[in-house]
Amino acid sequence: MSRLAANPLVTRRNGKIQACEPCRRRKVACDHGYPICRRCRRRPNGASTCYYEPPDHEAQPADPVAPRWSENIYEASKLDAQSTPASSVLRSNTSRHVAPEDKMWSSPAARAPSGFFGPTSFSAAYLETENALRIRSPPATTAAASSSLPSNFSPPSLAEIQDMTAMDQGASHLTIKVLQAVPTEIPTVTLSRSHINPNDEWMRMIGEKIVLSTWDTFGSYLHNRGNVVALRELGSMICINTRRSLTEDHDDPLAWVESFSGSNLRWEAVGIMFICAAFAEFSASPSTDARSRIAQYTEYCSACITLANMGGSSSSLMLFLLYKRSVLHACMHGETSLPYWKFHAETVAMLTFSGLHDDQPRDSFAAPSEPMISMEARRRVRCQIFIVDKFLATFVGRPPLLTRRFCSMKLPLDLDETALLSDKKTFRGHLQRLDSDGWNVDGKFHSSTLLRIRMMVALIRDEILEIGLAQNESPSIDDIAELKRKEVQMYKNLPAHVPCNPTFEDIRDVDLQLLYPTLLIRLDHLLNIFLLERLFVKHGRSRSDLLRTSFEMVVLALHSWTQKGMWAEMQGECQWLVMGYAAPAGAVLSMELIDPNPVAFATDGDEDTIAGETYSKSSIIQQLSLLMGYLKSSAPSQPKGSVVSDVRDVIKRVLDHVLNQTKQPQSPTVWRENFDFTVNWDNFEQFLPFDTIK
């Protein structure tokens, strides 16, 4: 009796004492132990999720979604949570009434819809009505409306922090596990060695700024990682910041970074710290320990995404975090895995939900604004997502998830990465050194230059995929010819400061930081030509141009492996270059070697040279041998049935058949009977989505 008098439990209308919320939602018996019942104490991590509703809180019908979210939050983030003593749990005043909007944190579906709504939505007509009213409204009303937008937020009070902590015990426990693993610094290897994606140099520098500002601002919380109470309080602060809408438009680069760092730290920014640390490990060492740390960083990044999702975040920062999480997973497990495809789909969903796929002003009355740092950052992220979407559609043959017909994506400006993190005056100075098309007039090659060109190629590839993967329509040969003319003209009209024709005759003196983008631009262009030539072959055209394009793609892509000394700092790039460009081209060359009517090559007296290599049947065999050697050395432990293993086996059987053939076949039928077609060609089929070579 004394125990009941000492706790806030009440008697229900049916005469029974109040049960804890986990037991009530699961509809099981509760012994009413306070503050933790016996059943929850016995369950794994149950102590951290056991709580009682305040006495003045009206009983709500059981929600089958909310308890599962709270109870399984650790499994979703793949972090082994450990229960904490009940005495360390910050609880709000039991007399406080929890308003419905406060439940947003544990149930993001309860938030009012704030995503993007296009012209076909139910709200389009209302928006037109609102704009019509704005015409008739006095200027003071418009100014008052614009001034009501939040700009600077005050730090959360202690009461807000305690309320947030008590709102979702599962989320509170997850924040502790994440904050205990916050990196103390981003390894400097990211500044001295090439990254898996050179377009992200600006975000890596932002990641370093976030780490420094986080430790400067919250060092008193993070230095003692065993102080669970302090970390829970810090986690609540970050949760409150994440619930606030992130202001997307900033003309001052420093103000933009400050809006999500320091005292304004958000879970998206915490996730970026883990992403930068993971890619630093990836660039530094391929050792087992490094891969283990990368896996841990990936899990913590996923936990940050979980927390940001619970806060309803749909900002450009969240979009970048989702995109880089998918890229990191691809680096670890390959582009053909189902989880990677799901991560990519989640990224695209966030892109369209937030409306960042539409670069047109949503307000028809808004005047065209000058380029801003936040606008430029958004352009870079969405262009990267669009490029990856086209690359995946080409590589695995699945329909793309984005299309230019429903997107309005302007090219990023040809700016140096340091301009994105400079002061306002310096940023405007960089803008003045651009021509009317957005190219820099200094003749310098930046990573944004590479991104602009790849986006131009991706837009044309989207048109190619549209006709190449169409199921109900057959493209005319005129349509294909027009696309090829468009691709060739675009490549020809690139600015003079863009080196796009790599030659390997005297390559030792070429800077790798310039060689890599040059090679990538050429390969991207050749891949578009490769797809178009295969469509030409389907219409009965000669496959001579297709073979020449395929040969050049294999030679250029394998250069990163044959010249290992030059590419030592960028070995992370080698695998995806080979698999993305050399592998599909190698499939065409392999089919040519077993074709009974091969294309005639030039005679010895009139040798044809492509990318520094003599174009002949012998050279094709040599290049395929190099490709097989790379596939064998890069992943010797690949299991049977994997993409690398099956492609390697097919090439080996083709070369064995060609080189070990002792007698010329008398007829095509007899010749084909000598080849073993029982080999697994399935993984070569993924490189032949247009079904042109049989």
Coordinates of all heavy atoms in Angstrom, one line a residue, residues 92-140:
S92 N 9.7 14.3 -17.5 CA 9.1 15.6 -17.4 C 8.1 15.6 -16.2 O 7.9 14.6 -15.6 CB 8.3 15.9 -18.7 OG 7.3 14.9 -18.9
N93 N 7.6 16.8 -15.9 CA 6.7 16.9 -14.8 C 5.5 16.0 -15.1 O 4.9 16.1 -16.1 CB 6.3 18.4 -14.6 CG 5.4 18.6 -13.4 OD1 5.0 17.6 -12.8 ND2 5.3 19.8 -13.0
T94 N 5.1 15.2 -14.1 CA 4.0 14.3 -14.4 C 2.6 15.0 -14.5 O 1.7 14.4 -15.0 CB 3.9 13.3 -13.2 OG1 3.7 14.0 -12.0 CG2 5.1 12.4 -13.1
S95 N 2.6 16.2 -14.2 CA 1.3 16.9 -14.3 C 1.2 17.6 -15.7 O 0.1 18.1 -16.0 CB 1.2 18.0 -13.2 OG 2.2 19.0 -13.4
R96 N 2.2 17.5 -16.5 CA 2.2 18.1 -17.8 C 1.3 17.3 -18.8 O 1.4 16.1 -18.9 CB 3.6 18.2 -18.4 CG 3.7 18.8 -19.8 CD 5.1 18.8 -20.3 NE 5.1 19.2 -21.7 CZ 5.0 18.4 -22.7 NH1 4.8 17.2 -22.6 NH2 5.1 18.9 -24.0
H97 N 0.5 18.0 -19.5 CA -0.4 17.4 -20.5 C 0.3 17.3 -21.9 O 0.8 18.4 -22.3 CB -1.7 18.1 -20.7 CG -2.6 17.5 -21.7 ND1 -3.3 16.3 -21.5 CD2 -3.0 17.9 -22.9 CE1 -4.0 16.0 -22.6 NE2 -3.8 17.0 -23.5
V98 N 0.5 16.2 -22.4 CA 1.2 16.0 -23.7 C 0.3 16.3 -24.8 O -0.7 15.7 -25.1 CB 1.8 14.6 -23.9 CG1 2.5 14.5 -25.2 CG2 2.6 14.2 -22.7
A99 N 0.6 17.4 -25.6 CA -0.3 17.8 -26.6 C -0.1 16.9 -27.8 O 0.9 16.3 -28.0 CB 0.0 19.3 -27.0
P100 N -1.2 16.8 -28.7 CA -1.1 15.9 -29.9 C 0.1 16.2 -30.8 O 0.8 15.3 -31.3 CB -2.4 16.1 -30.6 CG -3.3 16.6 -29.6 CD -2.5 17.4 -28.6
E101 N 0.4 17.5 -30.9 CA 1.5 17.9 -31.8 C 2.9 17.4 -31.3 O 3.9 17.3 -32.0 CB 1.6 19.4 -32.1 CG 1.7 20.2 -30.9 CD 0.4 20.6 -30.3 OE1 -0.6 20.0 -30.6 OE2 0.3 21.6 -29.5
D102 N 3.0 17.2 -30.0 CA 4.2 16.8 -29.4 C 4.5 15.3 -29.8 O 5.7 14.8 -29.6 CB 4.2 16.9 -27.9 CG 4.2 18.3 -27.4 OD1 4.6 19.2 -28.2 OD2 3.8 18.6 -26.3
K103 N 3.5 14.6 -30.2 CA 3.7 13.2 -30.6 C 4.4 13.1 -32.0 O 4.6 12.0 -32.5 CB 2.4 12.5 -30.6 CG 1.8 12.2 -29.2 CD 2.6 11.3 -28.4 CE 2.0 11.0 -27.1 NZ 2.9 10.1 -26.3
M104 N 4.7 14.2 -32.6 CA 5.3 14.2 -33.9 C 6.6 13.4 -33.9 O 7.0 12.7 -34.8 CB 5.6 15.6 -34.4 CG 4.4 16.5 -34.7 SD 5.0 18.1 -35.3 CE 3.4 19.0 -35.3
W105 N 7.3 13.6 -32.7 CA 8.7 13.0 -32.7 C 8.6 11.5 -32.9 O 9.4 10.9 -33.6 CB 9.4 13.4 -31.5 CG 10.8 12.9 -31.5 CD1 11.4 11.9 -30.9 CD2 11.8 13.5 -32.3 NE1 12.7 11.8 -31.3 CE2 13.0 12.8 -32.1 CE3 11.9 14.7 -33.1 CZ2 14.2 13.1 -32.7 CZ3 13.1 15.0 -33.7 CH2 14.2 14.2 -33.5
S106 N 7.7 10.8 -32.2 CA 7.6 9.4 -32.3 C 6.7 8.9 -33.4 O 6.6 7.7 -33.7 CB 7.1 8.8 -31.0 OG 5.8 9.3 -30.7
S107 N 6.0 9.8 -34.1 CA 5.1 9.4 -35.2 C 5.1 10.5 -36.2 O 4.3 11.4 -36.3 CB 3.7 9.2 -34.6 OG 2.8 8.9 -35.7
P108 N 6.1 10.4 -37.1 CA 6.2 11.5 -38.2 C 5.0 11.5 -39.1 O 4.8 12.5 -39.7 CB 7.5 11.0 -38.9 CG 7.7 9.6 -38.6 CD 7.2 9.4 -37.2
A109 N 4.3 10.4 -39.2 CA 3.1 10.5 -40.0 C 2.0 11.4 -39.5 O 1.1 11.8 -40.2 CB 2.5 9.0 -40.1
A110 N 2.1 11.8 -38.2 CA 1.1 12.7 -37.6 C 1.4 14.2 -38.0 O 0.6 15.0 -37.7 CB 1.2 12.6 -36.1
R111 N 2.6 14.4 -38.6 CA 2.9 15.8 -39.0 C 2.0 16.3 -40.2 O 1.6 15.5 -41.0 CB 4.4 15.9 -39.4 CG 5.3 15.7 -38.3 CD 6.7 15.8 -38.9 NE 7.0 17.2 -39.2 CZ 7.8 17.9 -38.4 NH1 8.4 17.4 -37.3 NH2 8.1 19.2 -38.7
A112 N 1.7 17.5 -40.2 CA 1.0 18.1 -41.3 C 1.8 18.0 -42.6 O 3.0 18.2 -42.5 CB 0.7 19.6 -41.0
P113 N 1.2 17.6 -43.7 CA 2.0 17.5 -44.9 C 2.7 18.8 -45.3 O 2.1 19.8 -45.4 CB 1.0 17.0 -46.0 CG -0.3 17.5 -45.4 CD -0.2 17.4 -43.9
S114 N 4.0 18.7 -45.5 CA 4.8 19.9 -45.8 C 5.7 19.7 -47.0 O 6.6 20.4 -47.3 CB 5.6 20.4 -44.7 OG 6.5 19.3 -44.3
G115 N 5.4 18.6 -47.8 CA 6.3 18.3 -48.9 C 5.9 19.1 -50.1 O 5.2 20.1 -50.1
F116 N 6.4 18.6 -51.3 CA 6.2 19.4 -52.5 C 4.8 18.9 -53.1 O 4.5 17.8 -53.2 CB 7.3 19.1 -53.5 CG 7.1 19.6 -54.9 CD1 7.2 20.9 -55.1 CD2 6.7 18.7 -55.9 CE1 7.0 21.4 -56.4 CE2 6.6 19.2 -57.2 CZ 6.7 20.6 -57.4
F117 N 4.1 19.9 -53.6 CA 2.8 19.6 -54.3 C 2.9 20.3 -55.7 O 2.9 21.6 -55.7 CB 1.6 20.1 -53.5 CG 1.5 19.4 -52.2 CD1 2.1 19.9 -51.0 CD2 0.8 18.2 -52.1 CE1 2.0 19.3 -49.8 CE2 0.7 17.5 -50.9 CZ 1.3 18.0 -49.7
G118 N 2.8 19.6 -56.7 CA 2.9 20.1 -58.0 C 1.6 20.7 -58.6 O 0.6 20.7 -57.8
P119 N 1.5 21.1 -59.8 CA 0.4 21.8 -60.4 C -0.9 20.9 -60.5 O -2.0 21.4 -60.7 CB 0.9 22.3 -61.7 CG 2.0 21.4 -62.1 CD 2.7 21.0 -60.8
T120 N -0.7 19.5 -60.4 CA -1.9 18.7 -60.5 C -2.4 18.3 -59.1 O -3.4 17.5 -59.0 CB -1.5 17.4 -61.2 OG1 -0.4 16.7 -60.5 CG2 -1.0 17.6 -62.6
S121 N -1.9 18.9 -58.0 CA -2.3 18.5 -56.7 C -3.6 19.2 -56.3 O -4.0 20.2 -57.0 CB -1.2 18.8 -55.7 OG -1.0 20.2 -55.6
F122 N -4.2 18.8 -55.2 CA -5.4 19.4 -54.7 C -5.2 20.8 -54.3 O -6.1 21.7 -54.3 CB -6.0 18.6 -53.6 CG -5.1 18.6 -52.3 CD1 -5.3 19.6 -51.4 CD2 -4.1 17.7 -52.1 CE1 -4.5 19.6 -50.2 CE2 -3.4 17.7 -51.0 CZ -3.6 18.7 -50.1
S123 N -3.9 21.1 -53.9 CA -3.7 22.5 -53.4 C -3.3 23.5 -54.4 O -3.1 24.7 -54.1 CB -2.5 22.4 -52.3 OG -1.3 21.9 -53.0
A124 N -3.2 23.1 -55.7 CA -2.7 24.0 -56.7 C -3.7 25.1 -56.9 O -3.3 26.3 -57.0 CB -2.6 23.2 -58.1
A125 N -5.0 24.8 -56.9 CA -6.0 25.9 -57.1 C -6.0 26.8 -56.0 O -6.2 28.0 -56.1 CB -7.4 25.3 -57.3
Y126 N -5.8 26.3 -54.7 CA -5.8 27.2 -53.6 C -4.6 28.1 -53.6 O -4.6 29.2 -53.1 CB -5.8 26.3 -52.3 CG -7.1 25.6 -52.1 CD1 -7.2 24.3 -52.4 CD2 -8.2 26.3 -51.5 CE1 -8.4 23.6 -52.2 CE2 -9.4 25.6 -51.3 CZ -9.5 24.3 -51.7 OH -10.7 23.6 -51.5
L127 N -3.4 27.5 -54.1 CA -2.3 28.4 -54.2 C -2.5 29.5 -55.2 O -2.1 30.7 -55.0 CB -1.1 27.5 -54.7 CG 0.3 28.3 -54.8 CD1 0.7 28.9 -53.5 CD2 1.4 27.3 -55.3
E128 N -3.2 29.2 -56.3 CA -3.5 30.3 -57.3 C -4.4 31.3 -56.6 O -4.3 32.5 -56.9 CB -4.1 29.7 -58.5 CG -3.2 28.8 -59.3 CD -3.9 28.1 -60.5 OE1 -5.1 28.4 -60.7 OE2 -3.3 27.3 -61.2
T129 N -5.3 30.8 -55.8 CA -6.2 31.8 -55.1 C -5.5 32.7 -54.2 O -5.7 33.9 -54.1 CB -7.3 31.0 -54.4 OG1 -8.0 30.2 -55.3 CG2 -8.3 32.0 -53.7
E130 N -4.5 32.1 -53.4 CA -3.7 32.8 -52.5 C -2.9 33.9 -53.2 O -2.7 35.0 -52.8 CB -2.8 31.9 -51.7 CG -2.0 32.5 -50.7 CD -1.1 31.6 -49.9 OE1 -1.1 30.4 -50.3 OE2 -0.4 32.0 -49.0
N131 N -2.3 33.5 -54.4 CA -1.5 34.4 -55.2 C -2.4 35.6 -55.7 O -1.9 36.7 -55.7 CB -0.8 33.7 -56.3 CG 0.3 32.8 -55.9 OD1 0.9 33.0 -54.8 ND2 0.6 31.8 -56.7
A132 N -3.6 35.3 -56.0 CA -4.5 36.3 -56.5 C -4.8 37.3 -55.3 O -5.0 38.5 -55.5 CB -5.8 35.7 -57.0
L133 N -5.0 36.7 -54.1 CA -5.2 37.6 -53.0 C -4.0 38.5 -52.7 O -4.2 39.6 -52.2 CB -5.5 36.8 -51.7 CG -6.9 36.1 -51.7 CD1 -7.0 35.2 -50.5 CD2 -8.0 37.1 -51.7
R134 N -2.8 38.0 -52.9 CA -1.6 38.7 -52.7 C -1.6 40.0 -53.6 O -1.0 41.0 -53.2 CB -0.4 37.9 -52.8 CG -0.2 36.8 -51.8 CD 1.0 35.9 -52.0 NE 2.2 36.7 -52.2 CZ 3.4 36.1 -52.5 NH1 3.4 34.9 -52.7 NH2 4.4 36.9 -52.6
I135 N -2.1 39.9 -54.8 CA -2.1 41.0 -55.7 C -3.0 42.2 -55.1 O -2.6 43.3 -55.2 CB -2.7 40.6 -57.1 CG1 -1.8 39.5 -57.7 CG2 -2.8 41.8 -58.0 CD1 -2.2 39.0 -59.0
R136 N -4.1 41.7 -54.4 CA -5.0 42.7 -53.9 C -4.6 43.2 -52.5 O -5.3 44.1 -51.9 CB -6.4 42.2 -53.9 CG -6.9 41.9 -55.4 CD -8.2 41.1 -55.4 NE -8.7 41.0 -56.7 CZ -8.3 40.0 -57.5 NH1 -7.4 39.2 -57.2 NH2 -8.9 39.9 -58.7
S137 N -3.6 42.5 -51.9 CA -3.3 42.8 -50.5 C -2.4 44.0 -50.5 O -1.6 44.2 -51.4 CB -2.6 41.6 -49.8 OG -3.4 40.5 -49.8
P138 N -2.4 44.8 -49.4 CA -1.5 46.0 -49.3 C -0.1 45.5 -49.1 O 0.1 44.4 -48.6 CB -2.1 46.7 -48.1 CG -2.9 45.7 -47.3 CD -3.4 44.8 -48.4
P139 N 0.9 46.2 -49.4 CA 2.3 45.8 -49.3 C 2.6 45.5 -47.8 O 3.4 44.6 -47.6 CB 3.1 47.0 -49.7 CG 2.2 47.8 -50.6 CD 0.8 47.5 -50.1
A140 N 2.0 46.1 -46.9 CA 2.3 45.9 -45.4 C 2.0 44.5 -45.1 O 2.7 43.8 -44.3 CB 1.6 46.9 -44.6

